[in-house]
Amino acid sequence: MGSAVARVGRAYVKQRVGSVSIAVAARSWTQRFAFVLLILLSFGIMLVGKADTVVVSRARTLLIDLIAPVMDAASRPIASAKEAASTVQELVALKQENARLAEENKTLLEWQSIGRELQSQNAALRDILKFTPDPRASYVTAPVIADTSSSYVRSLIVLAGQNDGVVKGQAAITGAGLVGRVLEVGRRASRVLLLTDISARVPVVIERTRDQAVLAGNNSDNPELQYLPRDVDIKVGDRIVTSGVGGNFPVGLPVGEVARLADGHILVQLYAQLDRMEYLRLVDYSLPGILMQDLGIDTSKAAGVTSPGLGKLPRAQ
């Protein structure tokens, strides 16, 4: 009986060894020719697709239908996680924005209180001084159609004239500041004399020190400040605005800032970029002007008019 059991055991061992040997051989063969099999399988799929595209299309559609629910189920947690992360980020951003807005609101409330106080003080001072408000300005916006500047003159031509309500002497400004004034007016176009022209003179004031001066053009990009007091404390960067003296321009129109101090000359950089202007606003401030105010002469007819004791007045520039 013992020998029979031994024979059975040996037979079982031989069978297992044979099975393992076959499995090892099959695995080795598969690994050796796997790449070739994959290529053959790819060609086979391509041939099947070419042979009967309807069958392949149906199979692909069926496969997509089978996989779609699985992909949808797998993507839902990811989408939920993304949505949750996005919500958290939005909440953090909203919290920061709320804090910023609260700080801005606090600042605005402080300025509102200061503004109301200044408004009441301004009203009281106007009442004491019997202040008359400046007349409301009217304006015409016109495109610049030509630059007539040369070595001897600095001017522009704008497409607006008498038909549009333009009058000689009106201020020409941009959003940055004063550019010049209307010198000649036609029916459809006008010529604007720039602040950089050698004949341009504008009464101005240094905003920081309140010292008055005259901005004189010199046919360069930087006009010069003249007639300043000897002890003036002027610095580079000081803001220059119109003073209103003479009645041609109102008080406070921005002009430019001190660019440099060189050899006793104080040069100003204009706020308006004269070489990049496309539109100009021609403003009528309804101001009398120096000729109308002091001599009783209509400024629109000032050129060539004579006055007793004064002789012939020079042509208005």
Side-chain angles (χ1 to χ4, degrees), residues 76-111:
R76 284 182 181 179
I78 299 175
S80 300
K82 288 183 178 179
E83 185 177 355
S86 177
T87 303
V88 172
Q89 292 177 354
E90 290 178 358
L91 289 175
V92 173
L94 287 175
K95 183 178 180 180
Q96 295 175 352
E97 182 73 10
N98 190 26
R100 185 182 65 83
L101 291 175
E103 187 66 24
E104 288 184 359
N105 189 37
K106 180 180 178 182
T107 304
L108 290 175
L109 289 175
E110 294 176 357
W111 279 108

Side-chain angles (χ1 to χ4, degrees), residues 19 32 34 61 77 104 110 133 142 154-155 167 191 214 227 244-245 264 273 296:
S19 300
R32 186 175 301 175
T61 305
E104 288 184 359
E110 294 176 357
R154 297 294 178 94
S155 62
V167 179
R191 187 162 75 95
V214 172
Y227 307 110
V245 175
Q273 296 182 349

Side-chain angles (χ1 to χ4, degrees), residues 241-259:
V241 299
T242 55
S243 64
V245 175
N248 287 326
F249 301 114
V251 178
L253 287 181
V255 175
E257 61 183 29
V258 177

Side-chain angles (χ1 to χ4, degrees), residues 38-62:
L38 289 175
I39 293 177
L40 293 176
L41 181 61
S42 300
F43 275 107
I45 294 173
M46 292 174 62
L47 290 175
V48 171
K50 291 293 184 180
D52 192 352
T53 55
V54 176
V55 175
V56 175
S57 178
R58 289 178 179 176
R60 187 185 299 114
T61 305
L62 180 61

